[in-house]
Amino acid sequence: MEISLGGQGASSHASHIDEEGKVRVGMLFYVVVDIMFALFLVSAYVFLRGVNVNNLWFPDGTQNIDLTQTTFLTGLMVASGLCFVLAHWAVRQGIGGLVKLGITLAAILWIVTLILNVQYMGHLPFTQSGGGFASMYVLFTAYHIYHLLLGLMFVIGITIRALQGRYTRERHMGITTIGYYWYWVVVFGIVGYLLPIILPGPMH
Amino acid sequence: MNSRGHLRTPIILWVVISILLAALYYFLAPVLAQAGVIPPLASDVADNAYQIMAIFTYLSIPVFVGVVVFAAYSLFTFRSHGRPTDIGPQIHGNTRLLGWWLAASFVLITVLYVIGFNGLAQLEAAAPASALHVRVTAQQWIFNYTYTDYNISSSTLYLVENQPVEFTVTSMDVHHSFWIPEMGVKADAVPGELNTFVATPNKLGHYTVRCMELCGVLHSDMNTNVVVETASQFGTWISQQMSVRPASMFAAVQLPEAALLDASGKRS
Amino acid sequence: MSWTRKLVPSYFSGAVLAAIGFIVGSQYVWRVIGGANWDFNDPGLIGNFLEQGFLAGFVLMTFGWLIGIGAFKYPLSWMLGLKDPDHNEELRLAGKGDGIIRYFRFTTDHKVVGIQYLVVTMIMLAFGGLGAMLIRTELMFPGAWAFPKETYNTIVTMHGMLMILTVISFFVGPFGNFVIPIMIGARDMAFPRLNALSIAFLIIAMAVYAFIPFMGIGDPITTGAGVQTGWTVYGTLADQTGIGVDALAMAVILAGISSQMGAVNLITTVIAMRAPGMSYTRMPMTVWGSIGASILAALGTASLTVDLVMIISDRVFRTSFFFAATAGDYAGSGYVGGGSAWLTQNLFWFFGHPEVYLLVLPAFGFVMDMASVFSRKPLFGYKTAILGLMGVVVLSFLVWMHHEFVSGFLPELRGFYMASTELISVPTGLIFLVLLGTMWRGRIWMTVTMGFVFAFTWSFLIGGITGIYLSDVPADVQLHGGMFVTAHFHYTIVGGALMGFLGAVYYWFPKMTGRMMDEKIGWISFWGIQIGFNGTFLAMFYVGLQGMPRRVADYSPLFAGGNLVASISAFVLGASVILYFYNVIYSWKAGPIAEANPWGAKTLEWTTPTPVPLENFGEIPVVTSGPYNYAEPATPSGVPARGVEAGPAIG
């Protein structure tokens, strides 16, 4: 391999290491790994539903999930995502105040969602031992809560940094990359909300 | 020596060794089979499988010999003693060779497909109406056989020569796999699912059933006997069994399966 | 005190906190939640306190370890919005000015992590090999004469899973970490802390793994300690067997996280950190092979994680993912049903098949690079080789159900999976074309490394051809699950991945340690390994054809001859591997000092001084031609040529 030092290379690399690109690619791949996990959960759900044609899927005596509650929780999650989108838009426009407001709102909504989700999981009308559907449903909820808990680190960090005013129009890779994670968690929340509606257990 | 000159020797070696090996295999295979390299074949499915394996062996001989001969020729002819002081010809590839290589690969694959799908069709042929129906229920660490045509069950498998059998395999606890090596019969016993396999035993004798899927502590002891007998012997055995069969024995085996079948709408 | 500053944080403080974490977690569940009357077998309780205690112990052990080694320092300071670490602090974390202690710490320098990985994977390999020797001891004669059957099953399981984890760690570990950043002209990996974290996760995973044989002793429910499932951990049996399976699942989840971290890091490094002029078509094949493996690790591992999470929750929280039967069947057990036993097979094999290609893809890369160097010829078809590697990556996600040809699950699809499996021989065949074409008319320098390249060609050829037999449904129905399969995949993984790895250790040893490995001991161990390996697994093909199932502790006297040969050969193999290990240790201490570019290779790692300094390059090189350009004048050792005109593009 021929190399030269200090000279102009054949490539048009402006700078050697693309620091921002690095973070972006890394976060994208992290989200991809997470998406794969979710994909296998969804596949397992569809699989179990597919091979259990009748009563086995959702045994008698267990109640159905409360749609009002799940709609409310998903709505909170989506609202958090929207606030984040607003902040992301604002930082690209350079509107500092709106960034702080958007991020703070998004973070508060995130934490509220987390608390309500934990409470929701504690008051499900069935337990994880209530059959295939119940097991899957609890696993989905638990995975969502895991997302929210892990994201808490990002949420606190990004809020403090936003309030410190460290994100500018030129440098806001933190918002962009954490945004990938944020949006993905929202998407997973929606998937977990819709799946039992699209492919429900048999009603009795 | 130029490139073409180098090519001649290995190609001759390749062809000669391939033919020699194929001939060797042709003459030696029946001897080896007699000597017990493969189990004695006792069903149409096993015949099918080993026929395919034989064809694959013929196909893979030139592939194997080709790679080995060319690698060995490179090793012995182009070897530099000690650290090389000069460099080899800086060839970056050869599109024509690549084309031929790919073409050969696809031709081979096509042959494999033809053989494979043909064999698969034989394997998946539905059971004829005359078939004997045997339900195999595996549990840790025994197999139980229920002859649904006669409502009797047994812990030893009795089959009739030249009468097709439809095995319906299931398990009561964990994954097992029902395997009769001599007959090429293999079906996983999956709890809660039914798995069918059709074969026609074509040789009288005593064979073995082995569990093929690790199923716990005594997995290696999960072997039982298979007896392939004539229709009249089998008829005698059946009538004996029907006369001595205690009523409760059949019920014990049948119950969980009956529940399984009722619960699931798609199976009958 | 300076020694406290050196030891805290380090792996030693990590180990202390891990032990405390385990004791706190398990005792909390057993004594506090469980109370005085906790019971092994109380159907009134959800789950099993014994297992819950162990699991809590493992989780807190992991956290204790991570806190103890200081892995949380940066995330916490980032979270609290403190000042970002400056360059000096980064260098200190990378072990600047530290002596040997930097190998026992959370050190971010990729070369330190590479050496840590090398040592850890070598130890794992040694234990996995020990398992293999024990297995062969038991199978030497019929009749389960050496150990009880449950012990044998535990050994089989631990050998299988440990070896898989070892070989997975090879790609991201020793070479992915040490060699690849230098190869592409980077100063470090893209995320040095993530890198250090990945080896930390592997170490703690192995610590959890070490619990397996000791768990369940004295448990009144299951008869034996350990885990009876085989490395496939099919959910049905895993739900039922001894509690060792909790440690297994936990360890494999942690190791999976480790390999995912490594994979993400490696892909990002290659995408974002290449030196100027290092275009994708100028990367050595080692990089391409490792990228392929990283893609598979990033996409496939999650499937196994889901499977293991389900196994743990089935066992501990009484879910019913893998319990298919009706409510009546499990009356009183607390399980309701509604799961499927096929689910575990699909989840496992969706990971399981890409995983075997994950193991062998980096070896493809190593072997092609080494063949080129020791033939003094450029790769025969650089793009062909990439096509082969990437073809394998794509196809490997479409073949997993060939492991379920006899499972009864959707038998209509068997034709498709047979077709896709046989199709994968086309890209694999391209690798052979490249290897043969590269060696053809070269100047073949028979070092031990080159010996391993030939060994790879031989064994992977046999592994590939027998794979064709197994891809064909009618033939597979007969061979499935037998010793034939065992021999087949050992030919691909030991004969493919491991031969590539052993050759690569020999090849990069001078770069890693500054010393050459001993040639004479190297050749003796090489021939021992070849004779032992081929003897073992050819004999296994033989007993497989005869009809011997795999994973049996006891077998019919019919198979005695083949197994005796296999066992004796396996001991030869084991002794030769010990000799290889001895060579590594001996040469590391007392081998001859290596010159800067002992093999005359053209890739970037040989242009750096040995030992490679922190941040690798004084000045980042600008690459102007491909990695196999032997026609150019040799670069003087340690000093790259300056101002060389652009060479011909690689075709």
Side-chain angles (χ1 to χ4, degrees):
Chain A
M1 175 173 299
E2 291 174 28
I3 53 176
S4 62
L5 288 176
Q8 281 297 314
S11 159
S12 59
H13 275 249
S15 67
H16 167 46
I17 297 166
D18 182 2
E19 279 294 337
E20 300 216 318
K22 186 175 91 177
V23 179
R24 188 200 295 266
V25 172
M27 195 67 178
L28 264 179
F29 270 104
Y30 172 70
V31 172
V32 165
V33 168
D34 207 309
I35 288 176
M36 287 310 286
F37 192 94
L39 204 65
F40 292 121
L41 280 187
V42 173
S43 319
Y45 182 98
V46 174
F47 186 98
L48 284 187
R49 190 179 184 280
V51 294
N52 290 280
V53 182
N54 272 332
N55 311 344
L56 292 172
W57 173 234
F58 201 34
D60 292 330
T62 32
Q63 292 164 32
N64 285 313
I65 45 174
D66 183 358
L67 270 186
T68 339
Q69 248 181 326
T70 53
T71 313
F72 178 65
L73 282 173
T74 316
L76 278 182
M77 201 65 241
V78 172
S80 165
L82 287 178
C83 290
F84 199 91
V85 173
L86 179 75
H88 196 180
W89 174 80
V91 80
R92 271 176 296 180
Q93 305 301 316
I95 313 170
L98 201 54
V99 177
K100 289 178 186 171
L101 182 70
I103 294 274
T104 315
L105 266 180
I108 290 172
L109 283 170
W110 180 288
I111 292 166
V112 170
T113 318
L114 173 60
I115 294 167
L116 290 182
N117 252 303
V118 172
Q119 197 209 12
Y120 172 72
M121 193 173 164
H123 293 87
L124 279 175
F126 44 76
T127 67
Q128 74 278 15
S129 328
F133 175 85
S135 299
M136 267 331 295
Y137 194 85
V138 173
L139 188 56
F140 264 93
T141 318
Y143 190 55
H144 192 49
I145 290 174
Y146 153 79
H147 267 157
L148 294 167
L149 269 177
L150 186 77
L152 212 54
M153 190 184 80
F154 295 139
V155 170
I156 295 171
I158 200 172
T159 314
I160 291 177
R161 285 164 170 255
L163 292 179
Q164 285 173 347
R166 284 165 81 157
Y167 296 116
T168 62
R169 192 170 171 175
E170 291 75 32
R171 282 182 60 85
H172 54 268
M173 192 40 74
I175 293 190
T176 313
T177 49
I178 288 171
Y180 296 151
Y181 184 77
W182 208 294
Y183 304 144
W184 157 239
V185 175
V186 174
V187 168
F188 182 77
I190 296 172
V191 169
Y193 166 69
L194 288 181
L195 210 54
I197 298 175
I198 300 170
L199 296 170
M203 304 295 171
H204 293 288
Chain B
M1 220 181 332
N2 61 12
S3 169
R4 202 165 289 274
H6 272 305
L7 275 175
R8 197 168 54 217
T9 321
I11 286 179
I12 293 172
L13 278 175
W14 177 19
V15 173
V16 170
I17 296 178
S18 297
I19 292 173
L20 279 179
L21 272 183
L24 194 68
Y25 177 72
Y26 179 81
F27 290 113
L28 219 55
V31 183
L32 287 176
Q34 280 296 318
V37 173
I38 59 171
L41 307 185
S43 86
D44 61 334
V45 180
D47 291 343
N48 185 11
Y50 280 97
Q51 209 174 356
I52 288 176
M53 283 189 229
I55 300 172
F56 279 11
T57 308
Y58 284 117
L59 284 176
S60 50
I61 283 173
V63 176
F64 179 74
V65 173
V67 173
V68 171
V69 161
F70 276 88
Y73 187 83
S74 302
L75 170 60
F76 290 114
T77 316
F78 307 125
R79 184 160 175 184
S80 110
H81 293 278
R83 187 178 176 134
T85 46
D86 58 340
I87 58 170
Q90 302 295 295
I91 311 164
H92 288 278
N94 184 332
T95 318
R96 251 181 55 202
L97 179 59
L98 177 64
W100 279 111
W101 183 280
L102 279 177
S105 304
F106 279 109
V107 168
L108 273 176
I109 294 274
T110 315
V111 175
L112 294 184
Y113 283 173
V114 171
I115 299 167
F117 280 100
N118 191 19
L120 188 60
Q122 288 185 38
L123 192 69
E124 286 181 341
S130 63
L132 183 68
H133 294 90
V134 179
R135 177 147 305 154
V136 182
T137 311
Q139 67 186 84
Q140 284 167 329
W141 289 275
I142 51 166
F143 287 106
N144 233 307
Y145 308 100
T146 308
Y147 293 81
T148 43
D149 307 327
Y150 306 101
N151 267 3
I152 57 167
S153 64
S154 157
S155 59
T156 307
L157 182 60
Y158 289 88
L159 298 174
V160 187
E161 189 190 12
N162 292 331
Q163 183 184 7
V165 200
E166 187 183 41
F167 297 102
T168 308
V169 185
T170 189
S171 163
M172 286 170 69
D173 35 45
V174 301
H175 278 89
H176 301 272
S177 192
F178 172 71
W179 186 37
I180 310 174
E182 293 86 355
M183 293 187 196
V185 171
K186 188 178 292 150
D188 278 2
V190 183
E193 315 288 352
L194 299 179
N195 191 1
T196 56
F197 198 101
V198 182
T200 312
N202 55 15
K203 205 150 94 193
L204 296 175
H206 289 249
Y207 308 110
T208 329
V209 174
R210 296 204 177 94
C211 179
M212 202 64 174
E213 188 62 63
L214 183 50
C215 56
V217 179
L218 297 183
H219 163 60
S220 51
D221 297 342
M222 202 166 155
N223 307 320
T224 53
N225 285 326
V226 189
V227 183
V228 179
E229 33 183 39
T230 57
S232 63
Q233 284 170 327
F234 183 74
T236 320
W237 179 75
I238 284 287
S239 48
Q240 262 178 12
Q241 292 293 308
M242 290 177 83
S243 60
V244 301
R245 162 168 58 93
S248 59
M249 181 179 154
F250 173 59
V253 177
Q254 188 66 10
L255 237 180
E257 289 185 28
L260 169 76
L261 297 181
D262 293 345
S264 174
K266 68 178 174 181
R267 301 182 194 101
S268 57
Chain C
M1 291 279 282
S2 69
W3 64 269
T4 45
R5 267 196 58 210
K6 282 199 164 166
L7 286 184
V8 181
S10 74
Y11 283 174
F12 304 108
S13 58
V16 171
L17 280 195
I20 294 174
F22 177 76
I23 292 167
V24 168
S26 54
Q27 295 301 319
Y28 179 75
V29 173
W30 290 336
R31 309 284 168 212
V32 181
I33 300 184
N37 55 348
W38 71 278
D39 184 1
F40 278 117
N41 188 15
D42 182 353
L45 299 170
I46 291 176
N48 178 335
F49 272 116
L50 186 66
E51 301 189 60
Q52 286 182 0
F54 271 116
L55 283 172
F58 292 148
V59 171
L60 284 196
M61 182 170 149
T62 310
F63 275 101
W65 165 254
L66 294 179
I67 293 168
I69 61 174
F72 284 124
K73 191 174 164 233
Y74 176 74
L76 277 180
S77 80
W78 180 89
M79 200 174 101
L80 299 174
L82 306 180
K83 195 165 68 69
D84 285 336
D86 59 8
H87 193 64
N88 277 333
E89 203 171 322
E90 297 280 1
L91 286 183
R92 202 155 49 240
L93 197 56
K96 188 181 186 185
D98 282 349
I100 196 85
I101 185 73
R102 71 184 193 275
Y103 290 102
F104 299 94
R105 262 190 17 199
F106 185 80
T107 305
T108 52
D109 182 11
H110 73 98
K111 297 177 290 294
V112 175
V113 178
I115 297 292
Q116 288 173 335
Y117 256 117
L118 184 69
V119 173
V120 171
T121 46
M122 283 287 190
I123 293 172
M124 287 160 72
L125 187 67
F127 275 99
L130 181 69
M133 293 304 115
L134 294 177
I135 292 171
R136 284 321 313 176
T137 310
E138 174 86 328
L139 293 184
M140 204 162 168
F141 307 110
W145 65 285
F147 325 103
K149 286 172 180 165
E150 60 267 24
T151 313
Y152 174 82
N153 288 349
T154 302
I155 295 171
V156 165
T157 310
M158 290 187 67
H159 161 75
M161 202 42 123
L162 186 59
M163 281 303 204
I164 293 290
L165 295 179
T166 309
V167 188
I168 285 182
S169 305
F170 283 165
F171 85 89
V172 68
F175 306 115
N177 258 301
F178 195 102
V179 178
I180 285 180
I182 319 181
M183 253 183 177
I184 61 170
R187 291 199 189 280
D188 205 321
M189 296 288 269
F191 306 110
R193 286 186 183 79
L194 195 65
N195 204 15
L197 199 59
S198 80
I199 178 72
F201 263 92
L202 187 65
I203 292 173
I204 196 69
M206 286 306 109
V208 175
Y209 202 86
F211 273 81
I212 295 175
F214 309 108
M215 280 173 71
I217 295 173
D219 184 344
I221 303 173
T222 53
T223 48
V227 42
Q228 309 284 327
T229 58
W231 82 284
T232 49
V233 274
Y234 277 179
T236 46
L237 183 57
D239 285 354
Q240 184 215 48
T241 185
I243 65 169
V245 78
D246 291 318
L248 180 91
M250 207 53 205
V252 175
I253 289 173
L254 289 173
I257 293 172
S258 160
S259 80
Q260 283 170 333
M261 283 176 181
V264 168
N265 208 345
L266 203 68
I267 297 177
T268 313
T269 307
V270 173
I271 289 179
M273 307 270 290
R274 280 166 295 127
M278 175 63 81
S279 60
Y280 285 114
T281 48
R282 284 177 184 166
M283 297 193 306
M285 267 306 134
T286 300
V287 181
W288 275 106
S290 300
I291 289 188
S294 301
I295 294 173
L296 294 179
L299 300 184
T301 312
S303 181
L304 179 66
T305 313
V306 171
D307 189 26
L308 295 170
V309 165
M310 285 177 172
I311 286 171
I312 291 182
S313 66
D314 265 8
R315 292 179 61 90
V316 178
F317 304 112
R318 298 281 158 107
T319 54
S320 37
F321 292 110
F322 303 132
F323 288 96
T326 52
D329 274 19
Y330 295 102
S333 69
Y335 294 107
V336 173
S340 166
W342 279 328
L343 179 63
T344 183
Q345 284 178 291
N346 279 304
L347 282 176
F348 181 81
W349 287 118
F350 193 88
F351 153 80
H353 206 82
E355 177 269 341
V356 298
Y357 288 102
L358 189 169
L359 305 181
V360 87
L361 274 170
F364 282 166
F366 298 158
V367 163
M368 283 190 280
D369 268 0
M370 296 183 304
S372 163
V373 167
F374 292 106
S375 308
R376 293 290 191 267
K377 274 185 68 195
L379 215 56
F380 185 80
Y382 183 88
K383 285 181 178 156
T384 313
I386 297 177
L387 193 72
L389 291 175
M390 292 301 133
V392 170
V393 169
V394 172
L395 283 176
S396 67
F397 281 109
L398 302 174
V399 299
W400 84 94
M401 262 171 58
H402 65 218
H403 296 273
E404 296 165 49
F405 279 162
V406 295
S407 73
F409 175 64
L410 293 184
E412 316 79 71
L413 287 180
R414 291 192 291 191
F416 170 78
Y417 284 100
M418 176 170 79
S420 62
T421 307
E422 286 169 0
L423 200 61
I424 218 166
S425 63
V426 175
T428 318
L430 290 180
I431 307 288
F432 278 95
L433 173 69
V434 170
L435 272 178
L436 291 179
T438 306
M439 292 191 273
W440 187 251
R441 293 178 63 208
R443 301 286 177 271
I444 293 180
W445 179 13
M446 280 309 290
T447 56
V448 182
T449 306
M450 198 58 185
F452 278 111
V453 172
F454 278 102
F456 170 93
T457 314
W458 164 267
S459 343
F460 202 77
L461 180 67
I462 295 177
I465 286 177
T466 49
I468 294 286
Y469 287 67
L470 293 169
S471 68
D472 182 86
V473 180
D476 180 70
V477 165
Q478 174 66 349
L479 299 173
H480 189 97
M483 276 297 189
F484 191 90
V485 178
T486 314
H488 155 73
F489 78 74
H490 278 91
Y491 255 98
T492 57
I493 295 176
V494 181
L498 199 64
M499 294 298 169
F501 172 75
L502 295 179
V505 169
Y506 200 91
Y507 178 69
W508 278 301
F509 197 78
K511 188 82 264 175
M512 290 176 153
T513 64
R515 290 173 189 274
M516 305 292 288
M517 266 171 83
D518 191 278
E519 183 98 12
K520 201 164 153 196
I521 309 179
W523 276 116
I524 297 172
S525 69
F526 171 81
W527 281 111
I529 289 172
Q530 296 318 313
I531 292 166
F533 166 72
N534 283 292
T536 308
F537 294 105
L538 286 177
M540 245 185 228
F541 276 129
Y542 172 66
V543 291
L545 276 176
Q546 281 187 310
M548 179 173 167
R550 61 196 273 201
R551 295 174 180 144
V552 285
D554 184 9
Y555 52 87
S556 144
L558 186 65
F559 313 123
N563 274 296
L564 187 63
V565 173
S567 289
I568 292 170
S569 311
F571 298 142
V572 173
L573 175 61
S576 316
V577 172
I578 290 175
L579 192 62
Y580 188 97
F581 275 52
Y582 167 76
N583 194 4
V584 169
I585 296 165
Y586 163 79
S587 307
W588 203 322
K589 283 174 71 179
I593 301 291
E595 46 180 306
N597 191 354
W599 315 119
K602 295 290 177 185
T603 40
L604 273 183
E605 77 270 25
W606 301 105
T607 64
T608 56
T610 307
V612 187
L614 204 58
E615 305 217 305
N616 304 341
F617 301 95
E619 202 173 342
I620 291 294
V622 176
V623 181
T624 52
S625 79
Y628 308 112
N629 199 355
Y630 299 100
E632 76 182 37
T635 48
S637 47
V639 188
R642 279 172 178 275
V644 187
E645 287 301 306
I650 294 294

